[in-house]
Amino acid sequence: MNSVLWTALAIFHAVVFGYFIVLNTYYFVMSVFAFGRLRQYTQRLKASDLGTLPGIPPATLIVPAYNEAKTCPEVIQSLLRLEYPDYEVVFVNDGSTDDTLEVLRDRYALQPAARFPTADIETAPVHGVYQSLTHPNLWVVDKDNGGRSDAINAGINYCRTPLFCAVDADSLLERTALLRVVRPFLEDERTVASGGIIRIVNGCTVTNGRVVDIRLPDSWLGRFQVVEYLRSFLAGRVGWDALRIMILVSGAFGMFRRDIVAELGGLNPDSVGEDLELTVRLHRYCRETDRPYRVAFVPDPVAWTEAPSTLRVLGNQRDRWQRGLIDTMLLHRDMLLNPKYGRIGMVAYPYFFFLEMLGPVVEVTGYVVFLVLLASGLIPLSMALTFLLIAVVLGTILSVLSVGLEEISFRRYDRFSDLLRLLGLALLENFGYRQLQSYWRCRGIWSYLRGVEGWGAMERRGFNRSPS
Amino acid sequence: MDALPFTDSFPLDLSPLDGTVLALQVLVGLLGGLVGTAIVLHVRRARAKKRKQQLEARWAPRLDAILAGTAPFSALDDLVASDEDEAVLAFLQQHVQEAPPADRECIQRVAYPFFTLVPPPLAARRAEQRAYRLHRLSQLNGPNVDATLRAALHDASPFTAMVALRALIRRDKMGLRADEPPLPPLVMGSLPRFKDWRQASLAALIAQVEGIARPLRRQLANDAAATWVRVLAARSLQHLADRAAAPIAVTLLQRDTDLPLQTASLRLLEAVGDRSHVPLLRQLCGSDNEVIRIRALSTLAHVGAADAVPYLEQALDDPSRWVARQGALGLLRLGHPNILHTLAESSHPRAALARQVLTHHRRAA
């Protein structure tokens, strides 16, 4: 019996160890590739003046919104001041129960206006289309609630430009964000989608729709999310782009070719991970039709977004992300390790499937078994501490690498004190925050298995305003 | 430490614990190194920023004096140390970007001697460095700028070549290439480098080149040229509204050519066509291909005047709403909103479309 137990433990130990090594190696490799790509990109910026390039295609900003009365004025204000030669804003009021539409009607003098639909994607009923008298390039589509994907699809139906950019209603775009995120479409006509970076606005000061003072959030939760986002975007996405395995264009800020997305039927309204699902579907479609294509990531155009500030809301968010991930992975599982889908099928998909989707189970089980073994004295304390320290140090290394990538590139957190905080957070997140993430993601798996649907509520606190 | 009680039976060999401790030590060392590197990077950049501010504080008053005419062009030289040549060029480049036109030539004359003290642009190892130095050389009108830019059109990196192309076109527009080889052959020869670029943007860019119309027409008429080059040529000629290209577009439309070339020819005709092209356009309005019908209607509305109205009206019944929309827009363009008003108030299947187009027209007006 004992030998069976030991064998089982040994096998489990090997699985956990293997997962641990593969995951950290993956992140390390991404960071290395990200380093080269970031250096290349920041140097290219010095030689580029994209604003003077002729023939920049018109674009539409589609902003799905549900109960965003508090933040939508600032968001729209920032969107109407972007530096881009020709663009429209289509704000989709997705059946808000607060006074989102009234706020917009008062602020922007909305009047009913017929608009020719350019696609037939099925959505919840649209009650009306409005145009602003003060800002003719601002349109509002008012519809029944159907969820974020449904709202974006309604926006796509009314999109008249070759490109559209889906932007979250809680995001503030920097002035040159569109000019930067459109760049891959100019340099390579095969580009079908391009993602920008999401940064956390909590703690920053916003004036007239612009982030004017960048600071770390006051709360520990917000700060940990900053480190997490740096890891995810600067190491993860830049690395993916360098390896041409860009499998996720974030729904909070991504630019797409309208014609192809409309042809695909828009976003999947049944998925809570609609951004991942759309990007995977784009890859799938282009490969199945032998269409030369590119999905890019640009590390510079920034969308500032409000991150969850309570454990409950953050937990719900991560729960939802995990459900969305599982949904997509299972929906397109025939891409897994399928050479027909190139690097996406052979590299990116396996990573997401085995490490991101199943990984939390391995992690949480690993923690539990570890604690049981430790408590029962079956492993010596010295060994336990050694392995624990290795895990902590490896995790910290990856986060410090991301902070380093920030230092060599954009250095938005300019203060030395912020750098020290970020480095400290890289260590501290291993003592509770990461474990919480694993728990929430496991909870997401359990939610998925139970058939839980929906987004949960996001509490908006609004942006810090400076007296102006 | 007592021997572990279960080592005999535990399937894992725990003697590598020593190796694990060693690995931990290595990792901690690596972590320490990374943290130190991050801090050093931050401190270095903060110092570089401070140094840049100090240099600017040193140079800016002297530059102001030069621009005011109270100091000679060489007045900055004695304030620049031997290791500050790159920095002063960056400083001057920033000022030339922000300076009014009257001051630009002055700043460029100040910058000129410093270029002989820095490596030539194309000697840089990295493509981005070459691109940046070309950009700087062009903005500051440095020595051998045109020859360097021409050479850079053949750079291994398409990004660098594009920076050179844009710089050459900009200089040409500003009249800074008077004694240099003509630009059109250089541009046409470099086009294959930019095959992946967005055609519409590339077409708009090369349309800015003086004298480019003739070689573009040659390419458009050249059946041996690649389709993408011919389409690019058509789009550029459309930007130029080059009437001499109209016969070529007509010839292409009368033949069974590729769809992209046909649509590009129709767009070109929209810009340069006249009523003599109406019979051809009428014919194309009946094409099996929806895209051809749309473009033909659009072109007809631009060139056909009264001849076009019946065809535009007929298009309102087209099975494709895109074609119908084009018909409606064409009717508006030719000053027949009354047809759409009547349609909008009827029970015709396209009544809603008529209302949408009329609303758009009212807003635009």
Side-chain angles (χ1 to χ4, degrees):
Chain A
M1 180 64 182
N2 267 350
S3 65
V4 170
L5 182 60
W6 295 143
T7 306
L9 280 173
I11 292 171
F12 181 75
H13 177 92
V15 167
V16 173
F17 191 69
Y19 161 82
F20 183 69
I21 294 296
V22 169
L23 182 70
N24 286 285
T25 304
Y26 166 85
Y27 266 114
F28 186 77
V29 167
M30 287 300 116
S31 300
V32 168
F33 278 97
F35 173 75
R37 180 55 66 99
L38 277 173
R39 267 193 71 190
Q40 181 194 56
Y41 182 81
T42 49
Q43 288 186 355
R44 280 196 173 201
L45 279 182
K46 295 199 297 186
S48 306
D49 48 349
L50 270 181
T52 60
L53 188 71
I56 292 179
T60 299
L61 286 167
I62 298 176
V63 188
Y66 178 75
N67 289 354
E68 301 285 356
K70 262 190 194 157
T71 54
C72 70
E74 246 122 1
V75 167
I76 292 187
Q77 193 171 15
S78 82
L79 295 180
L80 289 173
R81 290 179 177 185
L82 298 177
E83 288 177 23
Y84 197 81
D86 183 6
Y87 73 101
E88 288 186 325
V89 176
V90 174
F91 187 94
V92 184
N93 181 39
D94 192 39
S96 298
T97 56
D98 68 358
D99 53 351
T100 297
L101 184 61
E102 288 68 34
V103 166
L104 292 175
R105 206 197 306 267
D106 292 341
R107 181 83 171 255
Y108 293 104
L110 298 180
Q111 293 292 318
R115 184 161 164 126
F116 180 77
T118 57
D120 287 319
I121 304 170
E122 202 176 312
T123 69
V126 172
H127 298 302
V129 178
Y130 303 86
Q131 187 180 17
S132 166
L133 292 180
T134 56
H135 298 79
N137 64 332
L138 170 63
W139 293 75
V140 175
V141 175
D142 184 41
K143 62 183 282 292
D144 276 354
N145 181 255
R148 185 175 184 275
S149 301
D150 192 76
I152 293 177
N153 287 341
I156 294 172
N157 282 340
Y158 289 102
C159 173
R160 301 193 282 218
T161 56
L163 302 176
F164 76 88
C165 187
V167 179
D168 270 357
D170 61 348
S171 299
L172 295 175
L173 292 191
E174 292 192 335
R175 286 244 170 116
T176 56
L178 279 191
L179 273 180
R180 294 182 193 273
V181 82
V182 81
R183 187 195 188 115
F185 292 93
L186 303 178
E187 293 178 348
D188 192 341
E189 197 154 41
R190 298 167 298 179
T191 304
V192 298
S194 170
I197 190 169
I198 316 297
R199 287 183 183 263
I200 289 174
V201 76
N202 306 44
C204 300
T205 305
V206 175
T207 305
N208 294 328
R210 282 185 65 199
V211 177
V212 296
D213 184 30
I214 298 169
R215 306 203 82 136
L216 285 174
D218 295 329
S219 69
W220 285 103
L221 203 60
R223 291 175 180 185
F224 283 133
Q225 288 177 79
V226 168
V227 175
E228 196 185 353
Y229 274 49
L230 286 179
R231 206 170 48 240
S232 173
F233 282 94
L234 285 188
R237 312 260 168 120
V238 177
W240 294 349
D241 185 53
L243 290 170
R244 289 182 286 130
I245 54 170
M246 185 65 190
I247 196 171
L248 170 58
V249 172
S250 177
F253 183 31
M255 187 174 264
F256 299 85
R257 275 199 38 189
R258 185 197 61 80
D259 58 342
I260 294 179
V261 174
E263 199 173 321
L264 289 176
L267 280 74
N268 184 347
D270 298 324
S271 173
V272 288
E274 73 287 345
D275 46 3
L276 174 65
E277 200 280 329
L278 175 64
T279 319
V280 169
R281 197 153 29 104
L282 274 170
H283 281 289
R284 182 179 198 131
Y285 169 76
C286 292
R287 289 198 179 260
E288 286 175 356
T289 55
D290 288 325
R291 181 196 184 108
Y293 77 106
R294 181 186 168 207
V295 176
F297 177 75
V298 188
D300 193 30
V302 180
W304 294 91
T305 192
E306 189 179 345
S309 50
T310 65
L311 286 172
R312 185 181 63 82
V313 176
L314 179 59
N316 288 342
Q317 185 192 63
R318 299 312 160 93
D319 183 302
R320 173 172 56 79
W321 286 2
Q322 190 69 17
R323 282 186 278 127
L325 169 65
I326 297 168
D327 202 42
T328 302
M329 288 295 107
L330 295 182
L331 188 62
H332 298 284
R333 59 187 176 276
D334 54 339
M335 291 176 70
L336 177 64
L337 294 170
N338 188 336
K340 179 180 170 185
Y341 300 101
R343 294 183 189 199
I344 296 297
M346 300 300 289
V347 178
Y349 214 91
Y351 164 75
F352 270 84
F353 196 96
F354 295 113
L355 296 182
E356 291 285 346
M357 187 175 80
L358 300 177
V361 177
V362 176
E363 282 182 32
V364 169
T365 315
Y367 290 134
V368 170
V369 169
F370 181 82
L371 288 171
V372 166
L373 289 176
L374 187 64
S376 59
L378 291 172
I379 52 170
L381 185 61
S382 58
M383 183 169 122
L385 280 176
T386 305
F387 279 109
L388 178 66
L389 279 171
I390 288 176
V392 167
V393 169
L394 265 178
T396 309
I397 283 174
L398 294 174
S399 294
V400 167
L401 274 173
S402 304
V403 174
L405 288 174
E406 171 77 349
E407 276 301 308
I408 65 156
S409 55
F410 310 109
R411 220 173 132 215
R412 294 304 184 111
Y413 300 99
D414 213 18
R415 299 172 178 82
F416 188 64
S417 56
D418 283 341
L419 171 66
L420 292 180
R421 283 196 188 95
L422 285 171
L423 292 171
L425 288 162
L427 172 67
L428 289 174
E429 66 170 350
N430 294 286
F431 300 100
Y433 185 72
R434 280 192 192 243
Q435 289 73 24
L436 268 177
Q437 294 296 318
S438 300
Y439 161 69
W440 283 326
R441 290 167 66 191
C442 276
R443 199 182 81 186
I445 295 172
W446 179 237
S447 298
Y448 182 85
L449 292 172
R450 287 188 301 132
V452 170
E453 295 176 359
W455 278 56
M458 171 70 186
E459 292 156 6
R460 297 262 176 263
R461 303 218 165 156
F463 304 119
N464 289 345
R465 288 188 187 83
S466 73
S468 60
Chain B
M1 177 176 152
D2 291 338
L4 295 164
F6 56 92
T7 43
D8 287 345
S9 56
F10 195 77
L12 281 186
D13 177 6
L14 295 177
S15 58
L17 187 59
D18 289 341
T20 311
V21 172
L22 178 63
L24 177 61
Q25 289 169 341
V26 168
L27 287 173
V28 169
L30 176 60
L31 175 59
L34 286 172
V35 168
T37 304
I39 292 174
V40 164
L41 280 172
H42 186 98
V43 169
R44 275 177 60 179
R45 283 180 73 151
R47 281 189 184 162
K49 186 176 172 183
K50 192 174 172 186
R51 176 167 161 73
K52 185 180 170 204
Q53 287 167 345
Q54 287 169 344
L55 290 175
E56 285 176 5
R58 191 203 307 166
W59 294 329
R62 189 65 61 90
L63 181 64
D64 288 340
I66 296 171
L67 293 174
T70 57
F73 293 118
S74 59
L76 200 57
D77 296 5
D78 58 344
L79 292 182
V80 180
S82 58
D83 60 345
E84 294 172 351
D85 301 314
E86 291 278 356
V88 76
L89 284 172
F91 164 75
L92 292 169
Q93 182 189 13
Q94 185 186 339
H95 275 76
V96 87
Q97 286 170 352
E98 298 161 357
D103 288 346
R104 278 189 207 136
E105 195 180 326
C106 184
I107 297 173
Q108 287 164 353
R109 286 185 70 172
V110 172
Y112 196 93
F114 293 103
F115 278 105
T116 59
L117 303 170
V118 297
L122 297 182
R125 195 171 53 87
R126 295 172 64 90
E128 290 73 30
Q129 266 185 317
R130 295 196 296 275
Y132 165 66
R133 289 181 178 179
L134 284 172
H135 187 57
R136 185 179 67 185
L137 181 74
S138 160
Q139 287 197 310
L140 289 171
N141 203 23
N144 302 318
V145 54
D146 208 83
T148 307
L149 290 173
R150 278 185 275 125
L153 287 177
H154 306 287
D155 192 276
S157 160
F159 174 73
T160 309
M162 175 53 74
V163 169
L165 177 69
R166 291 185 63 195
L168 279 168
I169 292 174
R170 197 164 38 234
R171 289 176 57 75
D172 199 58
K173 278 172 67 175
M174 291 166 65
L176 296 173
R177 298 189 68 251
D179 299 325
E180 300 292 344
L183 200 51
L186 293 171
V187 170
M188 298 305 292
S190 71
L191 284 182
R193 304 298 317 280
F194 312 114
K195 186 179 177 201
D196 289 334
W197 270 69
R198 184 169 179 271
Q199 277 227 335
S201 304
L202 192 55
L205 178 66
I206 65 175
Q208 297 175 5
V209 177
E210 186 75 35
I212 198 75
R214 190 193 297 263
L216 285 173
R217 272 185 250 129
R218 267 203 297 272
Q219 283 299 327
L220 182 60
N222 181 8
D223 289 337
T227 301
W228 76 270
V229 173
R230 300 175 83 182
V231 170
L232 182 68
R235 292 180 97 148
S236 282
L237 289 165
Q238 178 192 350
H239 277 287
L240 292 167
D242 182 61
R243 291 196 180 278
I248 307 172
V250 169
T251 304
L252 289 171
L253 287 168
Q254 286 170 335
R255 285 158 35 185
D256 188 17
T257 51
D258 294 345
L259 180 62
L261 194 49
Q262 284 211 310
T263 53
S265 300
L266 277 166
R267 284 181 187 271
L268 173 56
L269 218 51
E270 187 172 312
V272 304
D274 55 46
R275 293 182 64 179
S276 68
H277 302 121
V278 168
L280 172 64
L281 292 169
R282 279 188 203 152
Q283 193 183 337
L284 291 170
C285 285
S287 167
D288 292 335
N289 188 291
E290 176 190 59
V291 175
I292 295 292
R293 295 203 302 279
I294 291 169
R295 289 263 59 90
L297 282 166
S298 179
T299 305
L300 197 58
H302 276 79
V303 309
D307 298 340
V309 173
Y311 292 86
L312 295 170
E313 207 173 340
Q314 199 177 339
L316 295 173
D317 293 316
D318 194 284
S320 161
R321 65 172 175 172
W322 294 97
V323 175
R325 176 174 177 264
Q326 198 58 58
L329 288 172
L331 286 169
L332 273 182
R333 183 180 170 79
L334 292 177
H336 292 273
N338 51 309
I339 299 175
L340 293 179
H341 279 296
T342 306
L343 188 68
E345 288 158 16
S346 71
S347 57
H348 191 281
R350 293 286 156 79
L353 182 146
R355 286 193 290 275
Q356 287 154 4
V357 172
L358 282 168
T359 304
H360 177 74
H361 174 67
R362 273 199 298 273
R363 299 285 177 195

